Amino acid sequence: MSGNETPAVPGQRRPRRTLRDWGVDFACFFVAVAIGMVGADAVGDNPHVSPGLAEADQVIGALACAAVWLRRRWPVGLAVAMVLVSVVSDTAGGASAVALFTLAVHRPFRYVGWIGGVSICLMPFIYWVRPDADVPFLVAVLFGVLVNASVIGWGMFVRSRRHLLLSLRDRAIRAENEATLRAAQAQRLARESIAREMHDVLAHRLTLLSVHAGALEFRPDAPQQEIVRAAGVIRESAHEALQDLREVIGVLRGGGDGEASGRPQPTLAALETLVAESREAGMKVALDHRVPDSAAVPAAVGRTAYRIAQEGLTNARKHAPGAEVTVAVSGAPGEGLTLSVRNPPPPGEVPKVPGSGQGLIGLTERATLAGGRIEHGAADDGGFRVDAWLPWDSAPGRGGEV
């Protein structure tokens, strides 16, 4: 008998026997025959059994060994039949042991407990009806009980081990599925991060292109000086956009953060450069910078503040051209960093510029990741406002990349 049997699932159609299943079934059959032959010899030499009964015992034992091939299809029925047959046939002892083992492997303990218990309880009666010629009654009963208990215990061990292996397999499958879900989530977060980074570095440049190209389209009769100036801004913005795109692609190919890839990360110290760039593009920007030392601001906080100001200026350039934008930043260690970008209503007609509001959504995510908060919406004067607060820890070295 082997512990590597294919388990049967009650209520489902039995699968076809594999080569291994055939090997196990042949092994069980040969075990039943071998034990049955020993029992047949013992019955033939037993003076307490008549020759006629001995021959009948051997015939019943042979039929019981043949019935072992039904053990996979009807394990409970075969076990019950073998318990009854073992009462009248010593030759069927091997088939009875195989049936008990199969029952313990393929069925829950409630079946094994009842049928195995009846089989053990019948031992005294069996040896009282057909006493062994060479072994005392008590020893024979104890030996029969021990054999039956060992067979049942072995079958239950095989069943428990099989369930453990199935449990481990299911756990491994669940772990693999969870790992797949985590990988998919990581890919989604990476895509969102890439989209946010692409928006941050390109929206500012492309907005300049769109605004000045729109001005050239709607004012073809503009003075030559303005046309040259707008064309220069378009050329410079396109060059800067291509440069930013190369840097972002370099970061993605390198698989690391910006600093590890050599890409300069804008911080609060670059805010004045951003404002100067916007002024050169024709915007009216008033900067109220009340942070004495911009380099003292943690890198993560400074970069988030820079991106918020950049997005605010980009939106003002798209939706309120010609209006004066006010950028105010203040704060200190332990108090936090406060940033405000405000613009009044546009003074004239606003040309249609594509936009989906994803920039403000990205800014909200950035501020939340940095531990701060951001508010945006219509101002009291009909313009637009973006107000943000970011934490600025008083302890040094606490800043990191967002």
Side-chain angles (χ1 to χ4, degrees):
M1 289 175 286
S2 171
N4 296 323
E5 301 180 27
T6 302
V9 180
Q12 293 186 3
R13 184 177 180 180
R14 179 174 297 280
R16 297 176 63 88
R17 280 189 178 98
T18 63
L19 183 61
R20 181 180 59 83
D21 293 339
W22 281 106
V24 172
D25 290 342
F26 271 109
C28 291
F29 174 73
F30 288 139
V31 167
V33 170
I35 298 176
M37 292 177 65
V38 174
D41 291 340
V43 169
D45 298 335
N46 194 338
H48 303 288
V49 180
S50 64
L53 290 178
E55 292 180 0
D57 186 295
Q58 295 173 4
V59 172
I60 295 174
L63 294 176
C65 291
V68 167
W69 290 100
L70 303 176
R71 68 187 189 91
R72 291 181 182 273
R73 185 177 297 275
W74 297 299
V76 177
L78 179 64
V80 172
M82 290 301 103
V83 168
L84 299 177
V85 169
S86 64
V87 176
V88 298
S89 173
D90 288 346
T91 312
S96 177
V98 171
L100 286 178
F101 174 79
T102 304
L103 179 70
V105 170
H106 293 284
R107 291 296 181 266
F109 180 75
R110 61 178 181 272
Y111 296 100
V112 181
W114 281 104
I115 299 175
V118 171
S119 176
I120 292 176
C121 292
L122 287 176
M123 286 296 164
F125 176 75
I126 293 173
Y127 286 105
W128 178 71
V129 173
R130 295 192 312 278
D132 195 294
D134 301 325
V135 181
F137 173 76
L138 183 59
V139 176
V141 170
L142 292 177
F143 180 76
V145 170
L146 180 61
V147 169
N148 278 11
S150 300
V151 170
I152 294 173
W154 184 16
M156 293 178 64
F157 168 76
V158 171
R159 178 181 175 84
S160 300
R161 180 176 175 273
R162 178 174 299 161
H163 284 183
L164 176 61
L165 293 178
L166 292 176
S167 175
L168 293 177
R169 183 184 304 171
D170 292 341
R171 187 180 303 176
I173 293 175
R174 287 196 301 269
E176 183 178 356
N177 293 336
E178 292 175 358
T180 303
L181 292 177
R182 286 195 299 268
Q185 184 178 11
Q187 291 179 354
R188 180 180 60 82
L189 294 176
R191 286 194 297 267
E192 292 178 356
S193 178
I194 292 171
R196 185 166 54 245
E197 187 70 14
M198 293 288 287
H199 180 277
D200 289 341
V201 300
L202 294 180
H204 181 71
R205 309 293 183 190
L206 296 181
T207 301
L208 287 175
L209 286 172
S210 177
V211 171
H212 285 82
L216 290 178
E217 180 183 3
F218 287 101
R219 294 191 58 191
D221 57 343
Q224 184 69 22
Q225 184 179 359
E226 291 186 10
I227 294 177
V228 172
R229 180 174 172 274
V233 172
I234 292 175
R235 180 185 58 81
E236 184 66 24
S237 298
H239 175 76
E240 295 291 339
L242 288 174
Q243 184 65 27
D244 289 341
L245 182 60
R246 291 192 193 99
E247 291 172 351
V248 172
I249 293 175
V251 172
L252 299 180
R253 287 177 176 174
D257 56 15
E259 295 178 0
S261 304
R263 179 172 181 258
Q265 298 299 305
T267 60
L268 192 63
L271 182 60
E272 295 182 359
T273 304
L274 176 66
V275 172
E277 184 182 73
S278 299
R279 288 170 179 168
E280 291 178 0
M283 288 188 66
K284 300 176 182 178
V285 184
L287 176 61
D288 184 9
H289 201 318
R290 299 185 182 182
V291 179
D293 186 8
S294 298
V297 180
V301 177
R303 183 183 181 189
T304 303
Y306 177 91
R307 294 303 189 192
I308 293 174
Q310 185 182 52
E311 180 65 21
L313 291 173
T314 301
N315 289 338
R317 184 183 300 114
K318 289 193 298 184
H319 305 295
E324 183 178 5
V325 185
T326 302
V327 179
V329 58
S330 61
E335 297 179 0
L337 188 69
T338 302
L339 177 69
S340 175
V341 181
R342 296 172 179 265
N343 63 268
E349 184 179 356
V350 180
K352 184 174 180 57
V353 179
S356 60
Q358 295 298 318
L360 294 175
I361 297 175
L363 291 184
T364 303
E365 294 177 354
R366 279 187 178 273
T368 302
L369 290 175
R373 58 181 180 272
I374 187 172
E375 298 178 356
H376 53 81
D380 296 335
D381 59 355
F384 196 81
R385 63 178 181 85
V386 177
D387 298 322
W389 177 87
L390 302 173
W392 183 355
D393 203 325
S394 58
R398 297 290 294 274
E401 194 64 37
V402 177

